[in-house]
Amino acid sequence: MPYQEIRDRFPIPKDSTILSRYFTKQKLQLFINNSNLYLRRVDLFPQLDEIILSLRDKEWIRRRHEHTGKDDWKEQAQKEIDINESLKNCSFINCWTYEYSELRKFWEDYGESNDAVMIRTSMKKLKQEVDKSEYQVKIAGVIYYDPFHDLLGIFNTTRMLARKPNDFSWEKEVRIIISRFLEKEVYPESFVIPINVAALIDEIV
């Protein structure tokens, strides 16, 4: 199940967009040797970094259920909230940035300063590589939002997984996303997508 686009649900960078990713030298060598894109399960990231529903989203869900007039509306509203939040437990992401200029904060935060390297590719090449995956893969530009006041708008799985609080807007992030709904209690910590590293990388800085 290859790469898939649904352009009216979440932002997708143009094929010509330059994408960058930062590594330590050791991790870059592993990336080249293994020839895999590593996608980490979302719930393993810091909780406040990955918020599926804003406070206003949750309030909107509660009000919608309250208007049904059913006796168990509170329980049903919480059930819907929990189901949406559980997306973090069965979804996996790999992160890039579309900020072409080199940012010191990326070097410090993601590259461990003096031991850092950066690779560059294009959106078109990244799509071509993830298209080889046996899983359904989406690539989305991250939407930055106020986790207290902003509404999601469209309740779409990828849209939920491709947004972060405004504090992270400097990252200008693009995400590779895989969601697996297998009704398991425990999902693997990661998925990998085999790739041709030489075909993917345009430049190492």
Side-chain angles (χ1 to χ4, degrees):
M1 299 180 69
Y3 173 73
Q4 183 182 41
E5 289 190 359
I6 309 176
R7 288 194 170 270
D8 61 340
R9 302 294 179 87
F10 48 86
I12 300 173
K14 295 179 180 179
D15 282 357
S16 59
T17 302
I18 301 298
L19 301 177
S20 303
R21 184 171 171 82
Y22 293 73
F23 297 85
T24 61
K25 292 176 182 177
Q26 181 181 14
K27 288 183 178 178
L28 177 61
Q29 191 61 55
L30 287 172
F31 174 65
I32 293 172
N33 292 343
N34 295 334
S35 296
N36 286 323
L37 283 173
Y38 170 85
L39 287 80
R40 190 182 186 196
R41 202 174 69 213
V42 176
D43 67 309
L44 298 177
F45 289 87
Q47 183 177 1
L48 294 181
D49 292 5
E50 307 298 335
I51 301 172
I52 298 294
L53 298 176
S54 68
L55 293 179
R56 194 174 176 195
D57 290 329
K58 293 177 181 179
E59 182 60 29
W60 181 83
I61 290 172
R62 293 188 185 101
R63 288 182 180 178
R64 180 163 52 78
H65 281 276
E66 183 180 11
H67 290 161
T68 66
K70 296 180 179 179
D71 292 339
D72 65 343
W73 72 265
K74 290 184 180 179
E75 291 79 4
Q76 292 302 315
Q78 189 58 50
K79 182 178 179 180
E80 181 176 342
I81 290 170
D82 291 344
I83 288 173
N84 285 314
E85 291 288 349
S86 71
L87 285 173
K88 292 190 290 188
N89 304 327
C90 59
S91 299
F92 305 81
I93 59 174
N94 177 277
C95 306
W96 296 70
T97 177
Y98 62 87
E99 176 58 67
Y100 186 81
S101 62
E102 299 176 28
L103 297 175
R104 180 179 296 276
K105 188 166 177 57
F106 269 125
W107 288 113
E108 294 173 349
D109 288 0
Y110 296 97
E112 299 180 16
S113 192
N114 294 329
D115 190 34
V117 290
M118 175 181 64
I119 65 172
R120 286 187 175 133
T121 187
S122 66
M123 178 66 178
K124 180 178 181 179
K125 287 187 175 182
L126 189 61
K127 288 189 331 188
Q128 288 172 341
E129 291 305 313
V130 301
D131 193 51
K132 302 170 186 176
S133 172
E134 62 182 293
Y135 311 108
Q136 187 178 88
V137 180
K138 298 185 179 69
I139 302 178
V142 169
I143 302 166
Y144 297 96
Y145 76 112
D146 181 338
F148 296 99
H149 303 106
D150 288 351
L151 275 170
L152 180 62
I154 301 172
F155 274 68
N156 168 270
T157 300
T158 304
R159 190 178 177 88
M160 290 181 188
L161 293 166
R163 66 177 189 162
K164 292 181 75 172
N166 285 327
D167 290 348
F168 297 93
S169 61
W170 63 272
E171 294 179 339
K172 300 186 184 301
E173 188 177 326
V174 174
R175 290 186 166 181
I176 304 170
I177 299 171
I178 293 176
S179 290
R180 303 288 289 162
F181 304 102
L182 304 179
E183 298 183 356
K184 292 183 178 180
E185 291 186 7
V186 179
Y187 288 81
E189 292 188 0
S190 63
F191 272 102
V192 294
I193 301 175
I195 61 169
N196 181 336
V197 174
L200 176 68
I201 297 177
D202 284 328
E203 182 181 16
I204 300 177
V205 180

